[in-house]
Amino acid sequence: MSILKAAIIGGGNIADNNHIPALKELGDQVEVVAVCSRDLTKAQALADKHGIPNAFSYTGEMYQQCALDLVVICTPNHLHYPQTIEALEHNCHVFCEKPPALTAQDAHEMADLAAQKGLILAYNFQLRQSAEWELLMRCKADGLLGNIYHIKAHFLRRRGIPGWGNFTNKDMQGGGALMDLGVHVLDLALCALGYPTPDQVLGNTYDFIGKTGGKGLMGNWNPKTFEVEDAAMAYLSFPSKVSIMLSASFALNTQTDKDRNLEIFGSKGGVKLFPFTMYTEIAGELADIQFPYLEEVDMQLKNTKAFLDACQGKPSTVCTAKQGATLQAIVERIYASAES
Amino acid sequence: MSILKAAIIGGGNIADNNHIPALKELGDQVEVVAVCSRDLTKAQALADKHGIPNAFSYTGEMYQQCALDLVVICTPNHLHYPQTIEALEHNCHVFCEKPPALTAQDAHEMADLAAQKGLILAYNFQLRQSAEWELLMRCKADGLLGNIYHIKAHFLRRRGIPGWGNFTNKDMQGGGALMDLGVHVLDLALCALGYPTPDQVLGNTYDFIGKTGGKGLMGNWNPKTFEVEDAAMAYLSFPSKVSIMLSASFALNTQTDKDRNLEIFGSKGGVKLFPFTMYTEIAGELADIQFPYLEEVDMQLKNTKAFLDACQGKPSTVCTAKQGATLQAIVERIYASAES
Amino acid sequence: MSILKAAIIGGGNIADNNHIPALKELGDQVEVVAVCSRDLTKAQALADKHGIPNAFSYTGEMYQQCALDLVVICTPNHLHYPQTIEALEHNCHVFCEKPPALTAQDAHEMADLAAQKGLILAYNFQLRQSAEWELLMRCKADGLLGNIYHIKAHFLRRRGIPGWGNFTNKDMQGGGALMDLGVHVLDLALCALGYPTPDQVLGNTYDFIGKTGGKGLMGNWNPKTFEVEDAAMAYLSFPSKVSIMLSASFALNTQTDKDRNLEIFGSKGGVKLFPFTMYTEIAGELADIQFPYLEEVDMQLKNTKAFLDACQGKPSTVCTAKQGATLQAIVERIYASAES
Amino acid sequence: MSILKAAIIGGGNIADNNHIPALKELGDQVEVVAVCSRDLTKAQALADKHGIPNAFSYTGEMYQQCALDLVVICTPNHLHYPQTIEALEHNCHVFCEKPPALTAQDAHEMADLAAQKGLILAYNFQLRQSAEWELLMRCKADGLLGNIYHIKAHFLRRRGIPGWGNFTNKDMQGGGALMDLGVHVLDLALCALGYPTPDQVLGNTYDFIGKTGGKGLMGNWNPKTFEVEDAAMAYLSFPSKVSIMLSASFALNTQTDKDRNLEIFGSKGGVKLFPFTMYTEIAGELADIQFPYLEEVDMQLKNTKAFLDACQGKPSTVCTAKQGATLQAIVERIYASAES
Amino acid sequence: MSILKAAIIGGGNIADNNHIPALKELGDQVEVVAVCSRDLTKAQALADKHGIPNAFSYTGEMYQQCALDLVVICTPNHLHYPQTIEALEHNCHVFCEKPPALTAQDAHEMADLAAQKGLILAYNFQLRQSAEWELLMRCKADGLLGNIYHIKAHFLRRRGIPGWGNFTNKDMQGGGALMDLGVHVLDLALCALGYPTPDQVLGNTYDFIGKTGGKGLMGNWNPKTFEVEDAAMAYLSFPSKVSIMLSASFALNTQTDKDRNLEIFGSKGGVKLFPFTMYTEIAGELADIQFPYLEEVDMQLKNTKAFLDACQGKPSTVCTAKQGATLQAIVERIYASAES
Amino acid sequence: MSILKAAIIGGGNIADNNHIPALKELGDQVEVVAVCSRDLTKAQALADKHGIPNAFSYTGEMYQQCALDLVVICTPNHLHYPQTIEALEHNCHVFCEKPPALTAQDAHEMADLAAQKGLILAYNFQLRQSAEWELLMRCKADGLLGNIYHIKAHFLRRRGIPGWGNFTNKDMQGGGALMDLGVHVLDLALCALGYPTPDQVLGNTYDFIGKTGGKGLMGNWNPKTFEVEDAAMAYLSFPSKVSIMLSASFALNTQTDKDRNLEIFGSKGGVKLFPFTMYTEIAGELADIQFPYLEEVDMQLKNTKAFLDACQGKPSTVCTAKQGATLQAIVERIYASAES
């Protein structure tokens, strides 16, 4: 199988620390031939640091000069849509950072174009690659959980409004805690259920703390320019009575600063994901099962590999374009409910 | 102030162990003059045990023979409505076990009649009397929480479907985990918010485990006659964007068998109720506050006293007829949502 | 089924606190009609306390005057043999305290006579009735352990040489820690393996602390009259390479004063008995399983019931006469090995 | 005292990470002048990395070209015997990895030749150099333990069958868990007793998990080529009734993956080695003694120094040739018992 | 030895719950023949309850009518002096509650009169009888501590101002936390040092919380009538440079409500009393020694027995009249320092 | 503001690891232009390592050749006085290591000269810069503690007599544990109180362990040359009845080797400093407040910055010359008390 030619779009931390190192480690499947950032100095610096032959400040120039099989999009949320469309039109597979887009409409168009072109469009929801999630999917497949009927999913920070970047800018990010954090656990919850579309969605968003200010644990944010939600709560009801309770926060008066977990309730067994514990019955007794030797894995490496496998036609667990569109539509409905 | 004359309706455990002992300890406010149970033997046994002068098998006979100021209703849920109406018509104050009734309509009628008669109708939601809840209300009054905007409330058992009584009989109880357990924490959540009525309600109910059977931790139940929900999940959205997430279960594949708690999130502080912990900022730092010397209190005794105080025109924290009707309407809307 | 007539032989604590209360609770199966003790005052006091109609100081007199279906023998070890033989000859079932006898020869004779008479002879190894042991047997039956090939069994006290009774008298007890404590866990280990007879036995016994003296945690013993072993260690090798490591002590310089446990190692799973934990693989991962809701049971009550069931021809888990003889032979071989 | 000239035989990890760094740090006693490995590339790479002047692929060539005082043997077990004999015949002291040899006969010949030549032959049992073991030997010397009469020694892994090297190859290694792990704790147990020879040995070996396969925690092993024991259990009975219980496993359904400990029971005090705790009586009371400031030491460095001290005629705690032969004979008797 | 005739003076809880039960259990040494309380009803009730033949309201009457060998004084502090003098003059041994008296002068007179009369006067400092203190004295006697040179002693309550009795009345009690609590741990500290008299005393007393009011954990006290210290801190310097740091509080903003402990620092070993832990060196290593099997003892029973033993001329550990006077003088000097 | 020119006096660890790195990080305020050590080789090595342009062995030469704004004095205690005087006379600000000097007289002279010259003289008490201490000062300023009336301060090591340097040399260091460790916590305690001067001081010093020898946890010290105190205990009584209990040790038979803490007791709240916990009342209940997100800070960096700020006329929390003199006078009075 030939080596895929890849380009990186976006010159920030996530390109530098996550995507490029992962791609470099997968040298038998992929070669990074270009990096593109509006700021050419940044692009060049990244290229130099990682030994990438080309640096660009315009994607158009890049597509013209380089023969690419795929691009990795690591730019702010509002650029995901136009850059994905452009890449697909240049016949490139696309590995795009989450969330998929700012609107459901955009995400659907992206998925449709990928399908039409026969290209892979995938989103970087890394938690799918954790040892815990893989074990959950094996337990589900082995029937240990029975029918899954309710999931509680949350990703809560106590004072984790980022003091850097554009995280509190609504136009660029499309939203706050739900868009940045909630989508991670929502993706997992949907995976556990087979990625259905809910019948009903009810939710609320808040910004009391974000707009008031306070102690910052991820740098200090400016309450005066805080435009997004600091917390979002939602309930999703699916066909066959299945339901999800979803909570996400940048700032909330809660116990810990990083509390990210899912509880999956099935008719035969329930699972708390972190640390992975199963609650079930064994030999007629209530049993708690722990897995003390689960490995910590490099989730980015595994997710990048999953994307590359998909590009090469192999089975893959990466988040598909269609799943991304389904998820984006749910996010949009939560925001709509909150504003109603 | 004269001593109130009281009668007990219902001859089960809750009369024997909770209500009668509480009333006896409050001898300066109340005297128990009669006990009434369909089964006269039971009524007589209770009367003998507690030194109550009269025992009856029909309430009609009781009202005829005894001059009563109040009755305490400790019968299955479906009898709350008719017995309350009858008592009010005999000009008695009523202290009724929870839930208020089987339908919102009934609960509203009960409240209306009480109002019209100028009588006290109150419901026995004891958790309001816990030291934790009283402290919460003081903290709220002192402004330590700011605006409360979200509450997570749950009352979860792992395998606590009662193996006795009528708890799994839908006609008599009107429902399962929500009706029996969920109402306790829902009442508290509503109290914290000023007992508003939600704009929107979305919920689901389940009966997988109840209908399949399994290990019982509160005796063994019969899955063949299991007619109610073993779990209920709901989301309530109120005016001003306030929201409640509610979870209740008789049976769920979760960690502990008795997990009852509320998390109250306010703009200045948040509280986890059991054990009471506040999350806030003090002197510019994130602070966790614990209260290691909260007393355990006799909640039934305090709630009975609150009811008697209300009857005597004193300030009281007991659940009012109107609050009970509001709560019952929400419960009904959750069931309706679950069936839609 | 008619009520069995029972007599108690022996007037000590174990009769008073364990056997008689258990028999009284099982009044639908058994009636205690006599108690017999060398010391008639003791016998009469027990009879009075528990409402037993007859008290005797000679068993001969008792058999003459009472029509008995069964006897329970609660006397020092050296009396188990003659009293069991006498009872069987009077056509009584026998429930005998552990250990079965002082020698393997005696235990075999007892078993042979019971078999010949068609009577039940059983030994009071109560741990078989613990919720943990029952769960182990269910797990084994369900194949969760695979082939069991090694067991570590120990019953260790740090300074638990009893300061009362005849526990340090070799003629009356036949031995020390092995005879009194080790047999309990040896019985369980043999049960788990199907009660096989070992090919080879190697063991040692010690009496350093017992003969030196020291702090006593079960009263103060007299080192000058200490005649038995304070610790015994043994290794049993069975056909098919199965093995048991056995440790028992009245006194040992070890961490805790009461350390009684078994570890059962099987090809698919291993179990540590107290608290019950299983070590195995689930869904391809190493899993630790705990059972947080195991009930504490009244082991004496259940074991007495098991004996009565056996007398009435029902299935039973009580230790049989044949098992008792097998166990006694192993104990004898350990002592023989220790003295060689 | 002149600096000793040393050579390393074997080019694997243990040479690279343990022996060479230790020798380099002891530059005032020893100088490494050569490294020899069948694979000359490996030998040269090691020499280059550590600044060793010579690299060889044949020991014969090495002995011819270098004037050596000692060699360190870091090759697979089956080479220990021939390489030791060869080294001794070239008048070199030998520091050999454990276990001493494949057979007792070989180990005895090695010891005899060393004695005859007046050379030091020593084995690398590092645990003797731990702070815990040194403290134990001091406590024993101070009489704090009294007579030591029983030792439980175990080295258990749950799923630690090495997925690399030749650990599952019987011809090269001579055995499995006992040969690789059990010898470490057996050496300590024998040390505590003065290195006696047992009167009787009884043991068993198992290979259920090794031959079936499963989750590997030290890489993945191949069950089809698994030839050694995955677990060994043994009981050793010595003169004066002293005894050792020994357990070793590569794979066992037990709680932790690395459980290595000794319990030493003496008439005055007992010790659990890791973490070091003594159980004894002080001032007439049962006392538990902990030593919270024991240092972690570089055991390899200290053991290498102990060997060099022995070569230079100083007192030393290194495992002698005679002790090694005694240990090897016991190992052989355990295997013989297991096969009988 | 003849049975001693005893009388109880004082009709409060400490007589009823502590002293009388202890004396009754020591029936082979003592017989309680009278109880005397200003309130004859109380005296008679106590006499009836405990089967004591005589009840009096005046001690004069009691001494006239009963032939007494000893009295136990359980009255408020200001009565200790006159009642002790009276009892000694009636040739009775005296067992007096702590503290000895209101002034050093009184305590010395009491001791002098007892000495002159050849009678036992002793004070009820029970902690001397704890298993911990007895072990400390044995350790000291065995030389395990070396020279004791510094002691930290404290008895701190967070909000333990008693809401009953006369504890906050200065005239009746003579002081607050120091007089009521501090003396207990001061007595122990002085015992450990051989009951020396300090060269220098420096101390302070406080009453901020007592006079302000707040949450009460031992009932609710009245800040308006609070006359004593709520906390006292002191430093005592003795000949040979020995020193004690003493802290006592009824109310202090500290962690726990009951924090009572001593740390005794010696040249060879140090001890923290509760739970008893020794810090020393063993075999050249720093060692922490715990005593996990110390019994809980009935300290009152043992202290009463110690007093009776003293009366009968046997060796005794009870606090002597002379020690009591030494202690009282120190207390007085602390108060004097605080007021200077 | 112009960059200050600085020189380092003293070539030991504290210069190398603490002061120089801190100054280098504060390059916008200060430039290190010289390092001076009696041992020129050391001075040159430091200069080379840190890129400092000049190295000297005599301060005179240094002042002649370099135009300096400030010096940092990192030499043994007995040099603090002469080197500070010399620096001030050369018109340099001085940042001097603790303790200020060997005598109160010296410290006062140093402060007087600095005042007279209008220069900053400050001492390096770093703990003032900890997040915990800053929070304490904020809590005090916010009135959360009320009146502070008692402080317990200790800095205890179990066996931490330094085995290097001159810590046990009385002439060079002026004292032992009090001079080296106690001053740190004494400085904090005085800060909390506004740096008052005590009315009375009572204290003792000890050297039992230091002169006897034993296990060393900070290297091995020589008991034969041990001249200072290994422990010091003191009580300070201030105007308005405020008091401090102070304990410091290099060696003491206590639980842990590094136990450094302050407890600050106020009328409204109390604080235990490490980890920071406040004990107070909130909403009428006893409350414990923890601050789980306090950052660890680089205390040296912050304290150096505080000194530089003071030099530049900005507000600063660094220990002033006057405070240093007050503290030194207290230390001297403790030693005087101990010797009296």
Side-chain angles (χ1 to χ4, degrees), chain F:
Chain F
M1 206 161 261
S2 65
I3 302 280
L4 298 160
K5 303 283 182 194
I8 302 290
I9 303 176
N13 282 335
I14 200 160
D16 187 15
N17 298 327
N18 293 21
H19 286 285
I20 303 180
L23 292 162
K24 301 292 280 190
E25 256 199 79
L26 297 162
D28 56 341
Q29 283 181 288
V30 69
E31 183 192 352
V32 187
V33 297
V35 58
C36 178
S37 165
R38 256 181 336 181
D39 176 346
L40 186 59
T41 322
K42 259 191 182 171
Q44 193 59 57
L46 269 187
D48 292 351
K49 175 174 173 190
H50 295 286
I52 299 168
N54 302 289
F56 300 96
S57 61
Y58 295 100
T59 49
E61 200 184 346
M62 177 176 77
Y63 288 115
Q64 216 168 7
Q65 297 188 17
C66 300
L68 295 170
D69 295 305
L70 65 92
V71 301
V72 180
I73 297 179
C74 320
T75 49
N77 301 351
H78 69 297
L79 298 175
H80 292 183
Y81 169 75
Q83 292 176 342
T84 295
I85 295 296
E86 183 190 24
L88 293 171
E89 283 172 350
H90 285 88
N91 294 306
C92 288
H93 302 298
V94 178
F95 193 32
C96 181
E97 263 303 323
K98 35 66 48 179
L102 295 193
T103 69
Q105 170 67 20
D106 288 356
H108 280 296
E109 278 183 37
M110 291 152 77
D112 288 347
L113 183 56
Q116 182 187 320
K117 289 278 200 170
L119 292 165
I120 298 297
L121 165 61
Y123 299 103
N124 189 29
F125 288 106
Q126 308 175 328
L127 290 175
R128 291 178 176 213
Q129 306 297 338
S130 62
E132 287 84 359
W133 194 252
E134 293 206 334
L135 180 55
L136 183 95
M137 295 309 268
R138 286 206 305 275
C139 289
K140 187 191 164 193
D142 289 0
L144 299 176
L145 305 180
N147 295 320
I148 297 173
Y149 54 89
H150 182 64
I151 296 178
K152 294 185 195 299
H154 64 262
F155 197 148
L156 301 178
R157 291 185 189 151
R158 182 162 169 177
R159 285 294 184 278
I161 300 174
W164 65 84
N166 311 299
F167 290 91
T168 63
N169 177 319
K170 184 146 194 188
D171 287 344
M172 293 177 75
Q173 294 297 114
L178 174 60
M179 209 65 145
D180 191 49
L181 306 178
V183 293
H184 278 294
V185 292
L186 177 55
D187 173 61
L188 295 187
L190 291 169
C191 273
L193 300 174
Y195 244 89
T197 286
D199 293 328
Q200 297 179 77
V201 171
L202 184 53
N204 295 89
T205 58
Y206 306 98
D207 59 9
F208 284 104
I209 299 170
K211 289 214 155 137
T212 306
K215 169 89 179 183
L217 293 179
M218 296 179 69
N220 293 309
W221 81 96
N222 182 352
K224 292 189 184 148
T225 61
F226 187 88
E227 300 168 347
V228 296
E229 81 277 7
D230 61 19
M233 309 295 168
Y235 188 99
L236 315 179
S237 182
F238 296 86
S240 309
K241 299 178 65 170
V242 170
S243 57
I244 292 175
M245 276 183 184
L246 177 67
S247 308
S249 73
F250 275 156
L252 192 70
N253 286 312
T254 186
Q255 183 173 7
T256 54
D257 189 51
K258 180 158 186 183
D259 182 5
R260 187 189 66 191
N261 221 334
L262 284 95
E263 291 170 281
I264 295 110
F265 299 101
S267 57
K268 287 203 187 152
V271 165
K272 190 166 191 175
L273 200 64
F274 302 111
F276 195 102
T277 314
M278 192 186 301
Y279 305 104
T280 185
E281 298 194 14
I282 289 183
E285 282 295 334
L286 289 165
D288 294 359
I289 312 180
Q290 283 167 316
F291 297 81
Y293 292 100
L294 281 190
E295 301 90 352
E296 248 189 79
V297 300
D298 180 337
M299 295 188 287
Q300 182 60 66
L301 181 66
K302 286 182 64 186
N303 212 31
T304 299
K305 178 156 181 38
F307 166 67
L308 297 176
D309 286 351
C311 295
Q312 295 177 334
K314 300 177 198 161
S316 168
T317 56
V318 80
C319 179
T320 66
K322 193 144 173 295
Q323 291 176 336
T326 300
L327 179 143
Q328 198 69 49
I330 294 172
V331 168
E332 193 168 291
R333 287 167 72 187
I334 294 172
Y335 282 126
S337 169
E339 277 153 30
S340 71

Side-chain angles (χ1 to χ4, degrees), chain C residues 292-313:
Chain C
Y293 293 100
L294 280 190
E295 300 91 350
E296 248 190 79
V297 299
D298 180 337
M299 294 189 287
Q300 182 60 67
L301 181 66
K302 286 183 63 186
N303 212 30
T304 299
K305 175 153 184 40
F307 165 68
L308 297 177
D309 286 351
C311 295
Q312 294 177 334

Side-chain angles (χ1 to χ4, degrees), chain B residues 69 94 109 132 157 169 172 213 247 271 283 293 299-300 332:
Chain B
D69 296 303
V94 177
E109 277 183 37
E132 287 83 359
R157 290 185 190 152
N169 178 317
M172 294 176 75
S247 307
V271 165
Y293 293 99
M299 294 188 288
Q300 183 60 66
E332 192 168 292

Side-chain angles (χ1 to χ4, degrees), chain C residues 217-231:
Chain C
L217 293 179
M218 296 178 68
N220 293 308
W221 81 95
N222 182 352
K224 292 190 184 145
T225 60
F226 188 88
E227 300 168 346
V228 296
E229 82 276 7
D230 62 19

